[in-house]
Amino acid sequence: MQKGMMAIDSFALYPLAYTIRGNVQSRCPEEETDQIAEKSVFPTTNQTRHDRAMLHHPFITFSKSNQRLILLLIASHMLWSCAILVLWSTGGWIKAASPWWSAGFIVLQLYAAAQLMLPALLLHTEKRSRSFYLFWGIALLLSIWLINQLPPVGGWQPLLTVIKSGLLLLIATLIGAALARYVHRLWEIIPICIAMTLADIASWLFGPTASFTQQIKQYYLAPEGPPPLIDMVLIKLVFPGSTGLAPVFGLSDWIMVVFFALVAGRFEVNDNLLGTAGETLARSGRIGCYLPVSVAALFAATLLAQLTGLFIPALPLIALLTLLWYAARYLRLRRRDREGGAGAKSQKQQTLPKRPL
């Protein structure tokens, strides 16, 4: 097909080149045709250079804007890890920690983590193959496994733990952003929410989640031997008065938090509980004013688990609150459009000239 297109371009441009050159005897028609076809098929534009680079390095090449945003994500997650380390060092001064102190610490850490999602809202989609996602999926999982193989030496344990948590948040953000691009209509999140809710509840009641929860509980109450395998994908936060960081939620929970936030941005649904939409904040460089409803739902699930002392699946609550928020925003927009249409219709009737009886 490509050869056919080149031939069509060649024969279309050949008479023009033949006339301009004027020297029919000194030029070979085949050379003239090949040169003109090459110029028409390979224009020297930035997009074409980017496409050529994508062909040679399909796994490691990104657009300039996405490169900057990914580097910003990496740097911001490193800063978040450093801030969590400082919070851990100050939280050790609090000896008798009440549940309200614990709730305040969780709010502070989740609120800071929510600001990390702002650069991800500006990532634009690029054409990728399945091998690209397979390559990066293996690379990210391998990075999680490798960082957990580092032996904790002396006082480096807290630093290594916060770096692990920052890495897990970064990986979850990238995965959530990659998944959000495949939602083409807003109503498609309904079956997604139903499926993830049923799967999480089934795993909690009959699947491996109950066994993993018991293993984690026993290990952190009486640490003995190596941590359970599931500990690799648990994001740990600081609690006041504790000597170390404790697991709060899993990698899959933050993936869905980011997923819902980016889907809301794609379909212009303002999910920010503090006012201005997240994408607008990201474009203006404003941080500290973003709290998506999915992060608030995760905090509600975490707080409920802390108050009851029970393991509460976070995904069903995240899905429920997100769907309720989307439905409320959708109904509000429908009512506003209906009122706007009725107002425009009445205004049009008032401007029409009255006919005499």
Side-chain angles (χ1 to χ4, degrees):
M1 184 68 183
Q2 186 177 1
K3 293 181 179 179
M5 292 178 62
M6 291 179 64
I8 293 174
D9 293 339
S10 302
F11 286 120
L13 295 175
Y14 175 68
L16 177 61
Y18 188 92
T19 306
I20 293 175
R21 292 291 181 180
N23 189 0
V24 182
Q25 302 295 330
S26 62
R27 297 290 293 176
C28 177
E30 287 77 6
E31 289 184 13
E32 187 80 21
T33 302
D34 292 341
Q35 291 181 3
I36 297 175
E38 184 178 356
K39 292 180 181 179
S40 61
V41 174
F42 300 109
T44 56
T45 62
N46 294 331
Q47 182 64 33
T48 306
R49 294 193 189 99
H50 175 67
D51 293 341
R52 292 181 186 176
M54 292 292 294
L55 291 175
H56 294 295
H57 306 284
F59 298 148
I60 60 175
T61 304
F62 299 89
S63 64
K64 292 294 184 180
S65 60
N66 280 352
Q67 286 179 12
R68 290 191 295 268
L69 292 171
I70 291 174
L71 291 176
L72 182 58
L73 282 170
I74 295 173
S76 59
H77 280 78
M78 291 179 62
L79 289 176
W80 181 87
S81 298
C82 295
I84 296 301
L85 184 63
V86 173
L87 187 64
W88 169 80
S89 62
T90 56
W93 297 343
I94 304 174
K95 301 302 180 183
S98 65
W100 296 109
W101 274 106
S102 299
F105 269 55
I106 295 175
V107 167
L108 185 60
Q109 294 169 90
L110 287 181
Y111 186 70
Q115 313 312 310
L116 304 178
M117 293 190 293
L118 289 174
L121 295 173
L122 301 180
L123 290 171
H124 66 268
T125 58
E126 299 185 45
K127 292 183 179 180
R128 299 298 184 184
S129 61
R130 293 180 180 178
S131 57
F132 170 85
Y133 292 108
L134 179 62
F135 171 81
W136 280 107
I138 295 175
L140 294 177
L141 291 176
L142 188 61
S143 65
I144 295 175
W145 182 80
L146 287 175
I147 198 172
N148 281 275
Q149 303 309 307
L150 297 176
V153 180
W156 294 99
Q157 175 66 26
L159 177 60
L160 184 60
T161 304
V162 296
I163 291 176
K164 289 178 183 178
S165 295
L167 177 64
L168 288 175
L169 284 180
L170 175 62
I171 292 174
T173 300
L174 296 176
I175 295 176
L179 294 176
R181 62 174 295 188
Y182 291 102
V183 178
H184 302 292
R185 298 175 182 84
L186 187 58
W187 63 264
E188 293 176 355
I189 68 168
I190 297 177
I192 294 175
C193 290
I194 294 174
M196 66 185 248
T197 299
L198 295 178
D200 202 28
I201 293 177
S203 178
W204 179 40
L205 296 176
F206 313 108
T209 302
S211 175
F212 291 154
T213 304
Q214 192 65 25
Q215 294 175 15
I216 290 295
K217 184 178 181 180
Q218 291 178 356
Y219 176 78
Y220 279 90
L221 288 177
E224 186 176 347
L229 190 62
I230 192 64
D231 189 65
M232 290 186 182
V233 293
L234 295 181
I235 297 170
K236 303 168 185 65
L237 300 179
V238 175
F239 285 88
S242 61
T243 57
L245 281 72
V248 177
F249 53 90
L251 180 71
S252 60
D253 298 328
W254 195 253
I255 288 174
M256 298 313 299
V257 165
V258 176
F259 169 80
F260 285 124
L262 266 69
V263 167
R266 288 192 64 188
F267 292 95
E268 299 180 353
V269 176
N270 185 7
D271 65 338
N272 185 14
L273 298 177
L274 302 182
T276 308
E279 186 173 353
T280 305
L281 294 175
R283 294 189 184 281
S284 59
R286 295 171 55 192
I287 61 174
C289 304
Y290 184 53
L291 182 62
V293 65
S294 55
V295 174
L298 179 60
F299 167 72
T302 304
L303 183 61
L304 186 61
Q306 294 295 323
L307 294 177
T308 60
L310 301 174
F311 173 77
I312 305 296
L315 290 181
L317 188 57
I318 294 173
L320 176 62
L321 294 182
T322 302
L323 280 179
L324 290 177
W325 180 266
Y326 283 1
R329 298 291 297 184
Y330 176 74
L331 293 176
R332 182 181 177 183
L333 291 175
R334 284 282 304 271
R335 184 175 61 183
R336 183 184 301 174
D337 294 341
R338 193 182 302 113
E339 291 176 355
K345 185 177 180 180
S346 61
Q347 185 178 3
K348 182 178 179 181
Q349 291 178 353
Q350 291 177 3
T351 56
L352 287 176
K354 294 183 180 181
R355 296 181 180 181
L357 298 176

